[in-house]
Amino acid sequence: AQKITQTQPGMFVQEKEAVTLDCTYDTSDPSYGLFWYKQPSSGEMIFLIYQGSYDQQNATEGRYSLNFQKARKSANLVISASQLGDSAMYFCAMREVTGGFKTIFGAGTRLFVKA
Amino acid sequence: EAGVAQSPRYKIIEKRQSVAFWCNPISGHATLYWYQQILGQGPKLLIQFQNNGVVDDSQLPKDRFSAERLKGVDSTLKIQPAKLEDSAVYLCASSFGLAYSSYNEQFFGPGTRLTVL
């Protein structure tokens, strides 16, 4: 069965430093996609980055990169040069190809960026 | 480009009453999703449509929840009758790609916050 685990309920990071948000997943489907979303206090979910299970290289989008370790079933989000505006909830999500194409989300990690 | 629109933004009802939420996806997006997000949790997919057909509704409590997307554009989600545990934010999302893909960047609306008293 699909499962996404985010073990860090809250994280603190100093402005301009890098931070890693952890995500592990469980699936028996060889074809799947992994996503990270940001949810500011306004409530709207914002897509950040995507990694396909067959992608050889780690995905990068600006200050966001995804550290994909397939054998360990982990897909950690790295935010470089943190900004105050990065303070938000961050959700890891997975979408299987054969599992009915449901997207499942983890419980989220709240990131606090300190000035 | 206009984003995903949802209304109302807030709704307060008493248990056993009915409520309906409306969603207008981004123009041209074939796939539409409804999620339920209970406070402190990640979103939970309730139903997804591709055009006007249901792709997956396995997590929709069909005894009280219903959803439709009749013309393949906007969609409504209804709860009848509501229970206290239905208090949550209901998020609508849409994506350009077809539902049968591992990659489907989803664009979310602002959500409807439902409080059931």
Side-chain angles (χ1 to χ4, degrees):
Chain A
Q2 289 177 293
K3 187 176 180 181
I4 293 281
T5 303
Q6 295 181 254
T7 58
Q8 306 154 312
M11 289 280 288
F12 286 87
V13 64
Q14 196 68 38
E15 192 179 12
K16 300 180 185 177
E17 291 185 349
V19 63
T20 298
L21 306 184
D22 295 341
C23 172
T24 58
Y25 60 92
D26 189 21
T27 179
S28 56
D29 193 332
S31 182
Y32 53 89
L34 297 158
F35 303 78
W36 277 92
Y37 285 85
K38 173 183 178 182
Q39 188 175 43
S41 55
S42 60
E44 198 155 337
M45 300 281 283
I46 302 166
F47 167 78
L48 295 178
I49 195 166
Y50 165 82
Q51 180 84 42
S53 59
Y54 294 115
D55 293 344
Q56 296 296 314
Q57 293 190 326
N58 288 342
T60 60
E61 289 285 350
R63 295 186 299 111
Y64 305 107
S65 60
L66 199 152
N67 184 1
F68 181 46
Q69 298 188 40
K70 193 171 183 177
R72 297 179 60 186
K73 294 188 175 178
S74 75
N76 298 339
L77 177 70
V78 180
I79 305 174
S80 63
S82 296
Q83 302 172 356
L84 296 178
D86 294 335
S87 294
M89 282 291 288
Y90 288 82
F91 292 97
C92 180
M94 177 173 67
R95 185 174 177 84
E96 291 179 337
V97 171
T98 58
F101 300 97
K102 284 190 286 287
T103 304
I104 64 162
F105 284 78
T109 295
R110 182 168 293 281
L111 179 66
F112 299 91
V113 181
K114 300 181 291 184
Chain B
E1 175 181 85
V4 176
Q6 289 188 249
S7 67
R9 292 294 312 277
Y10 305 91
K11 190 74 176 178
I12 300 174
I13 60 172
E14 297 194 347
K15 60 184 180 183
R16 292 188 288 272
Q17 285 187 325
S18 301
V19 65
F21 313 126
W22 175 81
C23 172
N24 189 33
I26 293 172
S27 178
H29 279 197
T31 308
L32 185 146
Y33 313 79
W34 282 103
Y35 290 88
Q36 179 192 59
Q37 186 176 20
I38 293 172
L39 186 64
Q41 298 181 16
K44 171 188 168 185
L45 180 68
L46 294 176
I47 188 168
Q48 58 179 338
F49 295 92
Q50 180 170 301
N51 297 315
N52 60 351
V54 176
V55 174
D56 182 84
D57 63 357
S58 58
Q59 299 187 101
L60 186 74
K62 298 182 186 64
D63 58 333
R64 297 184 301 105
F65 286 64
S66 64
E68 60 184 13
R69 193 185 184 200
L70 290 175
K71 295 182 179 179
V73 181
D74 55 356
S75 175
T76 55
L77 176 70
K78 297 179 182 177
I79 307 175
Q80 180 179 9
K83 292 185 175 181
L84 296 177
E85 59 261 35
D86 298 333
S87 293
V89 175
Y90 290 84
L91 295 166
C92 179
S94 69
S95 59
F96 179 76
L98 297 177
Y100 302 97
S101 168
S102 66
Y103 176 74
N104 236 336
E105 179 183 343
Q106 297 178 30
F107 295 83
F108 284 79
T112 297
R113 185 177 297 277
L114 174 67
T115 302
V116 182
L117 303 175

